[in-house]
Amino acid sequence: MSDQYQADKRRRDALRRMGIDIWVRRQPVESSAVEIPDTEAPAPTARDASLAAPPTPAAEAATAANGDVAAMDWATLEATVAECTHCGLCQGRTQTVFGVGRRDADIMVIGEAPGAEEDRRGEPFVGRAGQLLDNMLRALGYGREQVFIANILKCRPPRNRDPEPEEVAACRPYLARQIALVQPAVILAVGRIAAQNLLDTDRPLRMLRQQVHTFRQGDVPVVVSYHPAYLLRSPADKAKAWDDLKRLRERLPAGAEVHA
Ligand code: URA
């Protein structure tokens, strides 16, 4: 059997593990790959406009306290995150969830915040949603250990509520530094909260998925897709998630696929 056959088989198997019916899902790759030109981009929203407004005192304090984060190496950054008390979430955490994976990965996955299990284990995306994320990555030819996985927040919000703006502001320098250190070819933002906070917008996920964005600090392409926890509840949307992954695949360096 040829290498190509083996590679195709591995991808079909990975897609099956994602729960995608490969016989009915069909959309031209080209259509998902097209970037929407600026002229067709949706009008700026209230939150986009608010970005031009002066930062809140909490955001200013967080920025000042994190002023030197942008120069940190991995070891200092990890130790600083582990001891962070810049927002109230430090009071309820078991531990911080820094992120895992290759520190020179092609792909950086960014989720929302640790849940209960992640808080206990100190690792992002464990549990069923994590397994589905692993399968999504495997469909691209990547093992979990070959990407870098992090969250917008490093601490678990109580009862898994949405992150507050102050919490995001306090954590943002850490994530920005992680992105700068990894220098991924592409970021995969999973879920509305991750995408909106990473891209500083309040556009809905459905619109954010339509184009490849840019993380401003570092000029890194950002592909937006569904959160794996959502896909577990709405498996019919897995085919659309696969379209997103194909869009991401186009941003990878040639020959980067590793056949996990
Ligand atoms: N959901 C996330 O967004 N991140 C995790 O680490 C776990 C669940």
Side-chain angles (χ1 to χ4, degrees):
M1 273 178 285
S2 70
D3 288 351
Q4 184 59 46
Y5 176 87
Q6 297 282 10
D8 287 347
K9 182 169 182 316
R10 268 194 297 269
R11 182 166 293 116
R12 280 198 305 274
D13 290 347
L15 289 174
R16 273 195 202 98
R17 278 195 295 272
M18 271 179 73
I20 292 178
D21 181 349
I22 56 176
W23 300 109
V24 296
R25 172 196 53 74
R26 272 293 168 263
Q27 278 203 354
V29 175
E30 296 73 33
S31 69
S32 67
V34 172
E35 278 189 46
I36 299 174
D38 282 349
T39 49
E40 289 174 31
T45 62
R47 180 168 168 190
D48 292 335
S50 78
L51 290 173
T56 63
E60 263 179 350
T63 305
N66 282 303
D68 53 352
V69 170
M72 286 180 182
D73 62 15
W74 278 109
T76 314
L77 182 64
E78 192 160 7
T80 304
V81 167
E83 297 189 351
C84 181
T85 54
H86 291 162
C87 79
L89 294 181
C90 62
Q91 286 158 13
R93 73 183 177 219
T94 306
Q95 58 192 314
T96 54
V97 179
F98 181 70
V100 291
R102 273 186 78 118
R103 293 180 168 187
D104 62 348
D106 295 331
I107 303 174
M108 186 157 172
V109 179
I110 299 180
E112 177 180 334
E117 190 59 20
E118 288 80 13
D119 171 74
R120 242 188 316 275
R121 291 179 37 187
E123 182 173 340
F125 284 101
V126 291
R128 281 185 68 220
Q131 280 167 19
L132 180 53
L133 177 64
D134 291 352
N135 290 338
M136 292 164 73
L137 293 168
R138 215 168 289 139
L140 284 172
Y142 282 76
R144 180 182 178 86
E145 66 290 346
Q146 287 157 326
V147 306
F148 192 86
I149 307 176
N151 283 309
I152 295 287
L153 295 187
K154 309 296 184 219
C155 296
R156 181 193 181 203
R159 296 172 304 283
N160 297 338
R161 63 152 170 75
D162 288 354
E164 297 289 349
E166 291 78 9
E167 295 158 0
V168 174
C171 244
R172 190 175 174 92
Y174 300 140
L175 182 62
R177 185 60 187 151
Q178 287 178 310
I179 295 170
L181 285 167
V182 174
Q183 292 192 305
V186 60
I187 291 172
L188 174 63
V190 291
R192 177 182 65 83
I193 302 272
Q196 289 181 339
N197 283 297
L198 192 68
L199 298 170
D200 283 323
T201 180
D202 56 9
R203 289 181 193 138
L205 185 77
R206 138 182 75 77
M207 290 171 85
L208 293 172
R209 285 186 50 250
Q210 297 303 310
Q211 70 184 108
V212 179
H213 307 264
T214 303
F215 180 70
R216 289 186 204 146
Q217 294 159 271
D219 222 15
V220 185
V222 179
V223 169
V224 174
S225 191
Y226 296 104
H227 195 286
Y230 165 82
L231 291 173
L232 288 173
R233 296 191 302 274
S234 308
D237 279 337
K238 284 182 184 174
K240 289 199 246 167
W242 176 236
D243 288 337
D244 301 334
L245 295 182
K246 286 188 293 193
R247 199 175 299 125
L248 179 143
R249 193 170 60 188
E250 287 165 7
R251 299 293 161 147
L252 293 172
E257 200 174 344
V258 289
H259 302 304

